[in-house]
Amino acid sequence: MKIRANGMHYAALNAAVRDSEETDIEISGCGGQRYLGAGLADRKIFVYGTPGNALGAYLNGAEICVDGNVQEATGDTMNGGVIEVHGSAGDATGYAMRGGKIFIEGDVGYRCGIHMKAFLSQHPAIVIGGRAGSFLGEYQAGGTIVVLGLHTDGKPVIGNFCGTGMHGGEILLRCETLNVALPAQVRAERIEGPGSEESAALIREWCARFGRNAAPYLQAVYYRLTPNAENPYRQMYTPN
Amino acid sequence: MREGEFRNPSGCAVAGVIDRSGRKMTGADMIAAIEVMHDRSNGLGGGFAGYGIYPHYKDFYAFHLFFESQKAQEETEAFLKRHFEIVYASEIQTRKLPAVSGEPVIFRYFLAPLPRKLANSHLPEREYVARCVIRINSEVAGAYVFSSGKNMGIFKGVGYPEDIGRFYRLDEYEGYAWTCHGRYPTNTPGWWGGAHPFGLLDLSVVHNGEISSYDANRRYMEMFGYKCTLQTDTEVITYIIDYLVRRQGLTLEEVSHVIAASFWSTIERKKEPARSQESLLRRMFPSLLITGPFSVIVGYEGGIMGLCDRLKLRSMVCAEKGAKAYISSEESAIRRIEPSLDKIYSPAGGEAVVYELYRQGGRA
C-alpha cells in the first residue's frame, strides 16, 4: 500500500498504517508525523521524507526503512524488529531499547542508547556509521552499540561523557586512538577486529544494508567499552 | 489569570530563518514551518519576530504595546509623550479569526527620544529607551511593551503560532530574518504578554525549555536595573543577553560560554587559548550560567543565533541553502519550506550557531 503523507495528521497516518491489510507500506512526503509504526509487529514500512519524533517507538518486530534523516527518540523502548536509516539520527536514538536492531548510516545526536538493556534472548543493538554525540550509552545496562566512525568532519568518534553510569552491555568504537575522557567505572580495551562473532555479524549487516564491503571493518582496530568490574560504583544514591 | 498564579504541568517549538544576502521574505514561510510542529504547542502561546520589516521608519524605535484598559493606554501615551516624539501611532492591523480570541488592544508607535530629555538623562540612547520600556512594563498596570527595536517587530499572543501569524497578517510583512515560537507553557497559564518572543530593543528571544537557574539569574540581573515582571524564564534570558552584549560588550560566542558554559572537566581538556578564555568567562559571570533544558533562537539586527544548554536537553538542527540559513527544533519544519538543503547538522550543547547578513561587498 502507498500512502501520500503530505500534511496528514500523525494519528490519521498511523491509523492508516495499522489498519492496512497489506504488510508492505510505502509512505511518501512524510513531514514530522510522530510515532510512526509504534508498537507494530508485522509490517515493512518504507518512509520517504522526514518522519517525526519517536519513530518506531515500542516497535515489536516490524521493519522500518527511512530514506532520509530521522529526528529524536527513534526506536524509543523498542522491543524487536529493525529500523534502518539512510541518513542521520537526532538525540536519544534507541532510548531504553530492549530488543531489535537500529542501523544508522550517518551520525547520531546526544544520548544514543541511553538506558538500553538486555534480558535472556533479548539483545538490542545499534550500529552507527558516523559519529555519536555526548552521553552515548548513558546508563547502559545491556546490548551492543557500534560506532564505525565514517564521518568526515574531523570530530572525535564520540562526544563527552560516554558511558556515564554504564553497568552492562558493550560499546565498540572503531578508531585508532581514543582521545576522550571516560568515566572511571568504564573500561576501554583496544582490540583488533570487532571482538566477537555477534558484533562481526552486526557490522556485516550494516555493510550489507548500506552497500559497503565489510572486510576492512572486520579487520579494523576497535575500542571495546564495558563496565569495569574492578572499579564498581561504590556509592550511588545511598552508601552501600 | 496571570503568570505565577497557577502551575501548569508541561514542550515548545522554535524556528528561525535568515536570508544572509538581505533579500526579504514574507512571514508566510515561518508560519508554514511552525505549523509542522503544531503538536509541540498547546494553543497557549505563539509568536514571531521579523527583522527589516519597517524600512520606511527604520530610524525610529517601533514600540508594540498591549493595553488591557483605556486607562492603561492613556497613562502609557502620557509617559511616551514626556519621553519621546511620537512620529506615528496606530492600532496594529489584525485579521479576525475564530481561533484567536480575547486579544487586548494592540498598538504600534514609532518613536524618537526627545533630544533634551535624552541629553539630561546622561544615558546612551539605547539605555534611555531600554529604561523607558522597563518602566512602562513594571509601573503601568495593564500596559506591556512587547517590542521596542528599530526596523524590527515582535508579534505574539495566545493561540497556536500559525493562527497568531495569520491573525497579525504576517504574510503582508517582509523581512530578511524571522524567528518564531509555539508555546506549551509548563508553569503558568499563558497570556498575551507571556508568549514568545521576548524582546528588548532589537534583541528577541524564543525559547524551548525550562531553566532551573531562573531565580539565581533574576536576582543577579536585578542588580543592574532589569525588572523581571513576567515570572517566566525566557524574560531573564533576554535581559542576560542584552546585559552581556550591549552593556558588557561580549560577542555572542562569548555569551554562549557564560550562559551555556562547559563543565569544568570539559574546559580542562580544551586547548589554549579556549581553555583560559572559557575559564575566565565562567569565573566572571558565575551567576549567569543557565542550567536546565533550553534551546533558544536569538534575533538581533543583522543576525540570528541558535544555542542549546550544555547537556543538549532540547533538540535543535541548523541548515543552509544558498544564502538562506535555518534553525529549528525539528528538521521536518525546515524541510517543509526548503526540501533540498545544502547542509544540515545538529550543533552540540553549548555550541553557538550564528548566522549573519553577509558584509557588504562580499560574502561572509
Side-chain angles (χ1 to χ4, degrees):
Chain A
M1 188 174 77
K2 291 190 180 184
I3 305 173
R4 282 191 60 78
N6 304 54
M8 240 170 133
H9 191 260
Y10 73 80
L13 179 57
N14 278 301
V17 172
R18 213 168 36 238
D19 299 341
S20 165
E21 287 182 2
E22 295 172 45
T23 48
D24 286 21
I25 296 159
E26 184 182 302
I27 299 170
S28 61
C30 192
Q33 288 93 349
R34 299 175 174 191
Y35 316 120
L36 268 184
L40 293 182
D42 55 348
R43 294 277 184 283
K44 274 184 102 162
I45 306 168
F46 298 88
V47 183
Y48 296 91
T50 310
N53 293 356
L55 170 77
Y58 303 100
L59 198 72
N60 204 18
E63 267 200 51
I64 301 177
C65 178
V66 180
D67 184 26
N69 299 330
V70 295
Q71 300 186 160
E72 274 63 55
T74 297
D76 184 345
T77 327
M78 176 171 169
N79 204 37
V82 177
I83 301 177
E84 175 183 319
V85 178
H86 293 254
S88 287
D91 299 335
T93 302
Y95 180 177
M97 193 178 171
R98 46 193 205 178
K101 294 180 229 173
I102 300 179
F103 296 95
I104 308 288
E105 185 173 22
D107 304 334
V108 293
Y110 273 48
R111 274 174 280 279
C112 176
I114 179 175
H115 272 303
M116 202 171 165
K117 62 206 75 174
F119 180 70
L120 297 179
S121 63
Q122 292 281 84
H123 192 96
I126 305 174
V127 187
I128 300 146
R131 66 183 295 270
S134 295
F135 297 101
L136 176 72
E138 191 183 19
Y139 306 117
Q140 187 181 354
T144 302
I145 302 173
V146 183
V147 189
L148 294 173
L150 286 161
H151 58 296
T152 52
D153 56 12
K155 291 181 180 166
V157 69
I158 49 169
N160 298 319
F161 309 112
C162 175
T164 301
M166 181 180 190
H167 52 103
E170 62 172 346
I171 301 174
L172 284 172
L173 308 172
R174 192 182 73 108
C175 52
E176 285 291 334
T177 51
L178 192 60
N179 282 327
V180 289
L182 291 170
Q185 292 85 3
V186 171
R187 189 169 69 146
E189 175 194 1
R190 192 179 194 273
I191 52 175
E192 306 271 338
S196 70
E197 188 37 47
E198 289 79 10
S199 301
L202 284 172
I203 292 165
R204 272 195 292 269
E205 187 171 351
W206 185 92
C207 290
R209 287 178 184 271
F210 299 109
R212 304 244 180 189
N213 174 16
Y217 300 98
L218 297 174
Q219 286 146 21
V221 171
Y222 287 84
Y223 279 83
R224 182 169 179 264
L225 274 45
T226 49
N228 189 351
E230 284 151 31
N231 188 21
Y233 299 93
R234 294 174 204 283
Q235 182 177 334
M236 292 185 76
Y237 306 112
T238 53
N240 58 10
Chain B
M1 237 180 334
R2 279 291 179 84
E3 307 282 325
E5 293 172 4
F6 170 75
R7 187 175 162 95
N8 210 357
S10 177
C12 287
V14 294
V17 60
I18 182 170
D19 190 319
R20 292 172 286 179
S21 69
R23 201 175 304 120
K24 293 193 175 181
M25 54 203 139
T26 71
D29 267 6
M30 268 294 96
I31 295 174
I34 199 81
E35 193 164 18
V36 173
M37 302 190 283
H38 178 89
D39 295 309
R40 295 180 76 99
S41 323
N42 66 353
L44 290 179
F48 298 77
Y51 286 83
I53 60 171
Y54 297 134
H56 300 302
Y57 289 94
K58 64 180 166 50
D59 299 324
F60 303 103
Y61 293 92
F63 276 31
H64 294 183
L65 276 119
F66 292 139
F67 296 119
E68 287 174 347
S69 66
Q70 182 91 30
K71 183 168 164 288
Q73 182 162 9
E74 285 164 9
E75 242 179 274
T76 306
E77 289 185 349
F79 178 88
L80 290 177
K81 278 178 193 152
R82 285 200 303 277
H83 294 85
F84 298 92
E85 181 196 344
I86 301 177
V87 180
Y88 185 77
S90 72
E91 194 165 358
I92 291 183
Q93 292 298 305
T94 55
R95 191 183 279 143
K96 273 279 163 202
L97 295 173
V100 179
S101 60
E103 69 269 27
V105 173
I106 311 171
F107 258 72
R108 171 165 48 215
Y109 302 85
F110 289 103
L111 306 170
L114 289 174
R116 178 179 303 243
K117 200 92 181 175
L118 175 60
N120 290 345
S121 74
H122 299 286
L123 292 171
E125 184 182 296
R126 282 158 63 80
E127 179 64 21
Y128 174 90
V129 176
R131 287 198 190 183
C132 288
V133 172
I134 292 169
R135 264 188 74 181
I136 295 170
N137 287 346
S138 59
E139 291 174 18
V140 184
Y144 175 51
V145 185
F146 63 97
S147 186
S148 52
K150 282 182 180 175
N151 202 12
M152 61 79 69
I154 290 170
F155 304 88
K156 64 187 190 180
V158 173
Y160 281 99
E162 58 272 22
D163 295 327
I164 294 294
R166 289 175 193 124
F167 171 82
Y168 280 107
R169 310 166 79 115
L170 295 185
D171 50 317
E172 296 170 14
Y173 291 79
E174 289 196 327
Y176 62 83
W178 291 90
T179 66
C180 64
H181 184 260
R183 191 166 187 223
Y184 195 135
T186 48
N187 294 301
T188 55
W191 66 293
W192 283 67
H196 303 202
F198 282 90
L200 186 64
L201 301 171
D202 64 304
L203 180 74
S204 69
V205 176
V206 290
H207 165 221
N208 166 22
E210 178 173 353
I211 64 178
S212 45
S213 53
Y214 171 72
D215 266 320
N217 301 145
R218 177 184 59 79
R219 279 195 297 272
Y220 188 78
M221 293 311 294
E222 282 177 348
M223 296 201 294
F224 308 103
Y226 294 91
K227 290 197 177 71
C228 294
T229 51
L230 301 167
Q231 306 254 346
T232 173
D233 44 10
T234 311
E235 185 188 24
V236 81
I237 302 177
T238 312
Y239 298 156
I240 291 172
I241 297 172
D242 176 67
Y243 171 72
L244 292 174
V245 173
R246 184 169 60 85
R247 292 172 58 175
Q248 293 292 331
L250 264 57
T251 65
L252 285 166
E253 198 181 315
E254 288 166 339
V255 169
S256 73
H257 295 314
V258 172
I259 66 177
S262 295
F263 285 87
W264 287 115
S265 63
T266 307
I267 293 176
E268 275 164 21
R269 294 178 54 84
K270 292 196 177 186
K271 293 199 179 81
E272 292 293 358
R275 183 168 62 206
S276 305
Q277 195 203 8
E278 291 183 32
S279 304
L280 176 71
L281 288 165
R282 256 199 96 160
R283 288 206 175 93
M284 277 184 77
F285 303 104
S287 300
L288 296 182
L289 176 67
I290 299 176
T291 58
F294 68 84
S295 67
V296 295
I297 302 177
V298 178
Y300 54 96
E301 192 186 345
I304 57 174
M305 172 182 80
L307 181 68
C308 294
D309 67 272
R310 55 198 189 159
L311 296 173
K312 191 100 192 274
L313 292 164
R314 289 292 178 272
S315 59
M316 179 176 279
V317 287
C318 300
E320 295 169 33
K321 170 76 177 183
K324 281 193 180 169
Y326 305 84
I327 303 174
S328 172
S329 300
E330 295 186 21
E331 177 177 334
S332 52
I334 300 175
R335 297 272 183 198
R336 169 71 182 76
I337 54 175
E338 182 49 72
S340 97
L341 296 161
D342 299 338
K343 182 180 171 188
I344 181 157
Y345 68 103
S346 301
E351 176 187 351
V353 177
V354 175
Y355 290 121
E356 293 188 341
L357 293 176
Y358 297 133
R359 311 233 178 268
Q360 279 195 335
R363 293 166 73 90

